[in-house]
Amino acid sequence: MADGFDQSETVARGRARVALPERYYLEHFCEMLTFVEQHYGAVLGPDAAAFVAAFPTLSLDERCLYTRLVGRRGRVFRRSSLAYSEIDDIDTATDGLLQRRWLCAPESEHLDDVLALMKRGEILAWLRAHVPGVARSLKKADYAAMVREHCDRAAFVAAVGGADLLVRRHTEVVRYLAFLYFGENRAGLAAFTMRDLGLIRARRPSADYEPRFADVDEAQSCFFYATAVADLSQAPQSAGHIADPTQWPAPIGTAALKLRDRLALAIGRNAERAENPTLAVAAYRVGATGDCLQSAVRLLIASGDRHEARALIDAALDAPRSDDERVVAEDLLARKFGAKRTSARTDCLRDSEIIDADQSLLGCPEEAVAAHFKRQGLQAVRVENRLWRALFGLIFWDELNGAATHSPFDAMPAPLADGSFGRRYADTVAVKLGLCDDPSALVRALTKTAVANYGKSNGVFRWRSDTLELLVDLVRAAPSGAIRHVIAALAEDFVGRRHGWPDLLLIDGDRVEFVEVKAEGDQLRRSQWQRLELLKAAGFEARIVRVRWTVDPAQCFVVVDVETTGGRGEHHRVTELGAVRVRDGQIVARYQTLLHPQRAIPPAISRLTGITETMVAQAPTFAEIADDFERFLADAIFVAHNVAFDYRFVRQEFARLGRSFRAPKLCTCAGMRRFFPGQRSYSLRALCDAFQIPLRQHHRALCDAEAATELLFLINDKRAELVAAGEAV
């Protein structure tokens, strides 16, 4: 049974279990109705207003049953499947909802819902009894399509429905109410449950809220497009009513426009898959995005209508409906009508610098490029979107911190979410942009705001320990006017420009540069290209670096082994650390220390490792050596035999100090399995015996780390041989 409310009603939080009230789902539903009535009364419309007014008049059992059905998938149910312990008389509640017309028997319009409820065998049995020659080997979707094509809808529903099938009425009204609350189509109210269980945060009921929509027309326009997008993605075969773009209502408001563009793209792609290019072009013409324009031009040229394709491009250049459409139009004009074979994005990617990085960093290209620049003496920090979000959030902290949201589950302030920030705070934005022209004044303002508010939640960025330091370095080294340019663009369209920023920030004295990292086979997304172009237009240096995987002798590895008080569980601790730093195939440093685990060492563990409580009684705690060990690991690949074990314990020790730990990993056990197959065992002891590697004190950290280092040398030699032979590593 797929029931959005029938999930576990208790959850473990640490050692405690949080119990939900018996009728928690009804409380959540009523909470949503009350909130929507209070904050969205002006945009409810007559049907929704009538529903909100009538729901409290139902009996308690009727309200519980109806709300249970709201949480279940679909809107058709078997009466015989309804069983909820907290509902005293399920039959009386069902009959009451039928009499009040909150439930009804299925009719021909509910065919798709009935088919969704039925099992494959049930549909097949009915077809074989009424349609000759039906094969037994088809999928449920095929049988459902046969019912739609060959059977009378009303007759089929009447025949299979009987008295057991029930339809929940007011489905669209409930969907509309949930849309007003959440701003998107949702199948249930699971967010409330997760909030009560402490799994997600929500704002206090007393916080400030403002409606998403100015009037009922804007709300219903946005709801139409949000519903159409959701329906098309969930059941494209049933979405024929939205396939004709000429029947779509005019979108009202920015949110509806964006949803309209998503719908146009989805309808166009579906039409192409159905080999209906005419409908596809009609849908693409409606969308105001670069993807829609590009797809429409492609289809028109393929059909031989270059004149119409050129007219479409010219129209987008003369009156672009979005920056994205303009950028794509310029590119299409050059490629399709200017004898240029590749797009500007492709050219940008192809012309970028290529650096070699060790293949063991495969999957971590950003770390590989950062390490490359650090070896050149530059400060290289992975920032992506967080840098500009944090700068914007701190500059406008007072305005954003005092702004309302649309619902308790919305983190982003309403003026950013609805795109009104630049207009609503036009005077303040002008003042703050002026502040951006004075680096010293901006640094003072950022420092004051960060010190006063560090750690406070906001809907714009997440705090990091290095946030202020990076922002200060950026502001002091930025070219004149560059910060103003970027912040102005974010103030104009924060939601549209909050993604796609380059991966790395490079700092070299008083110079900063942004780098987008691409591994082999990666594409440059249009948003990433546009952010690079925005940074360049602002005056920053910004470029792409491509990674070519190879065997890099300059790559540093640190081979780690930990001894612990036990093998599993978050309560076990590290008793000894051993590590070996390797570069150019040579051991360049060693690290070893016993650690006080701040808990007892089980006798069995002492017998295995030889480490006793007496030995660690005067040893430092992990907190005392954390900084030294982190410096020893700096910019290296974390290597261990069965690396997940050692990495997990090190990460947990840092987490206990409130510090994050992250490093690229390499496992010598996995590497030996790959490059030296056929061994009797891949335990550290067995491999040392097989390859004549000394293992004098097995289960002591430094000894095991040194032995694993010899395995790393074997693996790296094999990798180098393969690269020299031109084979894939």
Side-chain angles (χ1 to χ4, degrees):
M1 179 174 65
D3 186 335
F5 296 105
D6 281 350
Q7 48 198 296
S8 174
E9 301 188 6
T10 61
V11 68
R13 188 195 296 167
R15 287 188 170 182
R17 294 181 69 84
V18 179
L20 294 173
E22 185 178 47
R23 296 182 175 88
Y24 69 98
Y25 56 91
L26 180 60
E27 293 180 11
H28 295 162
F29 191 65
C30 291
E31 181 180 341
M32 183 190 75
L33 296 184
T34 301
F35 184 92
V36 170
E37 183 180 29
Q38 179 181 354
H39 296 282
Y40 291 90
V43 301
L44 282 180
D47 292 341
F51 179 95
V52 172
F55 186 76
T57 68
L58 301 177
S59 72
L60 177 60
D61 279 357
E62 289 169 351
R63 278 178 279 146
C64 286
L65 177 57
Y66 188 84
T67 307
R68 282 288 192 183
L69 297 181
V70 168
R72 292 176 63 157
R73 182 179 300 141
R75 57 176 175 171
V76 177
F77 314 96
R78 300 185 193 277
R79 180 167 183 160
S80 57
S81 72
L82 304 181
Y84 301 103
S85 60
E86 77 280 6
I87 299 178
D88 295 330
D89 190 336
I90 196 78
D91 289 332
T92 300
T94 303
D95 292 338
L97 290 174
L98 283 166
Q99 291 170 7
R100 292 171 177 266
R101 297 290 293 164
W102 288 66
L103 297 176
C104 68
E107 299 176 359
S108 59
E109 65 187 80
H110 305 122
L111 173 64
D112 289 330
D113 298 286
V114 171
L115 289 170
L117 179 70
M118 295 176 68
K119 296 180 180 179
R120 173 184 175 277
E122 293 175 314
I123 303 175
L124 173 60
W126 194 93
L127 283 171
R128 289 182 64 82
H130 296 81
V131 180
V134 177
R136 294 178 177 271
S137 58
L138 302 181
K139 297 179 179 179
K140 177 182 174 179
D142 298 319
Y143 292 135
M146 293 176 66
V147 171
R148 296 187 190 95
E149 182 177 356
H150 299 295
C151 303
D152 179 84
R153 299 172 70 95
F156 178 85
V157 170
V160 303
D164 193 40
L165 292 190
L166 300 172
V167 177
R168 177 172 62 85
R169 300 187 70 238
H170 309 306
T171 304
E172 287 304 299
V173 170
V174 173
R175 201 174 181 185
Y176 179 62
L177 292 168
F179 172 76
L180 291 177
Y181 187 92
F182 290 108
E184 58 185 17
N185 284 113
R186 294 199 179 191
L189 305 181
F192 287 97
T193 307
M194 296 175 68
R195 175 203 63 190
D196 291 353
L197 295 174
L199 300 177
I200 61 174
R201 292 182 178 180
R203 302 184 80 191
R204 300 183 308 275
S206 59
D208 291 331
Y209 302 103
E210 62 181 51
R212 302 176 191 277
F213 310 105
D215 54 51
V216 67
D217 291 336
E218 181 184 1
Q220 293 183 347
S221 171
C222 195
F223 176 65
F224 169 85
Y225 285 104
T227 302
V229 170
D231 289 348
L232 188 65
S233 63
Q234 294 167 9
Q237 75 280 357
S238 306
H241 63 291
I242 57 173
D244 184 1
T246 64
Q247 302 301 311
W248 298 350
I252 302 173
T254 302
L257 283 167
K258 291 181 178 179
L259 287 165
R260 190 261 336 252
D261 293 343
R262 286 177 57 189
L263 180 62
L265 185 63
I267 290 289
R269 288 174 173 171
N270 278 2
E272 283 199 69
R273 285 190 286 268
E275 299 182 355
N276 187 346
T278 301
L279 174 59
V281 171
Y284 290 141
R285 283 177 177 272
V286 173
T289 66
D291 286 332
C292 284
L293 176 63
Q294 184 166 281
S295 297
V297 168
R298 171 176 50 79
L299 290 177
L300 288 169
I301 291 177
S303 69
D305 197 346
R306 291 181 60 84
H307 177 77
E308 184 61 23
R310 176 60 186 269
L312 204 59
I313 294 172
D314 289 341
L317 290 172
D318 292 340
R321 294 173 290 177
S322 67
D323 288 344
D324 186 47
E325 189 179 54
R326 175 188 56 78
V327 167
V328 171
E330 292 172 349
D331 189 59
L332 287 171
L333 183 64
R335 286 195 295 119
K336 302 300 183 181
F337 296 93
K340 187 175 181 296
R341 298 183 63 85
T342 56
S343 70
R345 271 190 296 155
T346 300
D347 291 343
C348 186
L349 188 58
R350 288 179 177 176
D351 294 342
S352 60
E353 177 187 358
I354 298 175
I355 69 167
D356 291 332
D358 194 90
Q359 185 268 347
S360 57
L361 284 166
L362 189 66
C364 307
E366 296 84 5
E367 285 83 352
V369 174
H372 168 84
F373 286 116
K374 287 177 181 178
R375 290 196 292 268
Q376 296 179 0
L378 279 68
Q379 181 183 354
V381 185
R382 187 172 180 179
V383 292
E384 294 179 287
N385 302 306
R386 72 180 177 99
L387 185 73
W388 291 108
R389 291 183 187 179
L391 182 57
F392 182 87
L394 286 178
I395 288 175
F396 295 107
W397 180 273
D398 292 337
E399 292 73 28
L400 297 173
N401 190 53
T405 62
H406 292 313
S407 88
F409 293 98
D410 286 329
M412 184 178 293
L416 293 185
D418 61 23
S420 66
F421 182 83
R423 300 188 305 275
R424 191 181 302 194
Y425 298 102
D427 293 341
T428 302
V429 169
V431 171
K432 296 291 181 71
L433 291 179
L435 180 66
C436 293
D437 292 331
D438 185 343
S440 297
L442 181 56
V443 166
R444 288 194 298 272
L446 293 174
T447 302
K448 181 179 178 180
T449 301
V451 169
N453 300 286
Y454 183 80
K456 293 181 180 179
S457 62
N458 61 81
V460 181
F461 68 95
R462 292 184 178 181
W463 291 98
R464 294 271 295 268
S465 59
D466 63 346
T467 295
L468 180 60
E469 179 183 357
L470 286 176
L471 294 180
V472 169
D473 288 343
L474 171 66
V475 170
R476 287 175 173 166
S480 176
I483 297 291
R484 166 194 275 268
H485 187 100
V486 176
I487 295 301
L490 285 169
E492 180 183 37
D493 182 11
F494 180 83
V495 171
R497 294 180 174 130
R498 59 179 169 159
H499 297 297
W501 298 96
D503 298 299
L504 301 180
L505 170 68
L506 304 184
I507 301 176
D508 183 12
D510 59 353
R511 185 180 71 87
V512 295
E513 182 179 8
F514 292 93
V515 173
E516 177 66 35
V517 178
K518 291 297 174 187
E520 294 173 344
D522 283 353
Q523 299 296 314
L524 179 65
R525 296 196 304 273
R526 188 152 57 241
S527 63
Q528 294 171 332
W529 179 48
Q530 289 172 337
R531 298 299 92 78
L532 287 170
E533 293 300 303
L534 192 158
L535 288 169
K536 292 176 184 177
F540 285 106
E541 295 182 53
R543 58 179 167 133
I544 300 171
V545 166
R546 285 184 290 160
V547 178
R548 179 170 56 201
W549 300 115
T550 183
V551 175
D552 182 5
Q555 176 62 54
C556 286
F557 301 84
V558 172
V559 187
V560 178
D561 185 81
V562 299
E563 300 303 328
T564 69
T565 60
R568 310 187 74 174
E570 62 179 14
H571 301 295
H572 284 294
R573 302 294 298 271
V574 176
T575 58
E576 186 178 32
L577 266 174
V580 178
R581 190 171 180 90
V582 173
R583 184 172 182 178
D584 292 325
Q586 301 291 325
I587 295 175
V588 296
R590 289 177 172 84
Y591 184 96
Q592 186 277 332
T593 183
L594 288 167
L595 292 173
H596 193 299
Q598 299 177 289
R599 59 151 292 166
I601 302 175
I605 296 297
S606 290
R607 288 193 295 271
L608 176 69
T609 65
I611 300 173
T612 66
E613 293 195 16
T614 301
M615 293 171 61
V616 301
Q618 301 302 317
T621 63
F622 187 86
E624 294 175 275
I625 61 91
D627 290 340
D628 288 342
F629 186 57
E630 191 169 38
R631 282 191 289 271
F632 191 84
L633 291 168
D635 305 325
I637 297 172
F638 188 106
V639 184
H641 201 70
N642 295 317
V643 68
F645 177 89
D646 302 85
Y647 187 87
R648 183 177 72 250
F649 268 95
V650 170
R651 185 175 60 186
Q652 286 176 344
E653 291 290 355
F654 276 106
R656 289 187 179 95
L657 304 178
R659 295 163 59 170
S660 62
F661 175 76
R662 179 181 177 184
K665 303 185 291 291
L666 186 149
C667 181
T668 53
C669 181
M672 293 300 290
R673 287 182 184 276
R674 178 180 180 186
F675 294 113
F676 298 91
Q679 300 300 311
R680 176 181 58 84
S681 169
Y682 286 88
S683 69
L684 184 60
R685 166 69 75 183
L687 289 172
C688 286
D689 290 344
F691 291 91
Q692 300 180 342
I693 296 170
L695 189 62
R696 293 177 296 275
Q697 283 185 290
H698 192 22
H699 296 302
R700 290 302 300 269
L702 186 58
C703 175
D704 286 358
E706 289 176 333
T709 300
E710 296 301 321
L711 299 180
L712 174 66
F713 290 154
L714 293 173
I715 292 167
N716 282 348
D717 287 345
K718 182 66 70 172
R719 292 169 58 228
E721 290 176 14
L722 293 174
V723 169
E727 299 180 31
V729 178

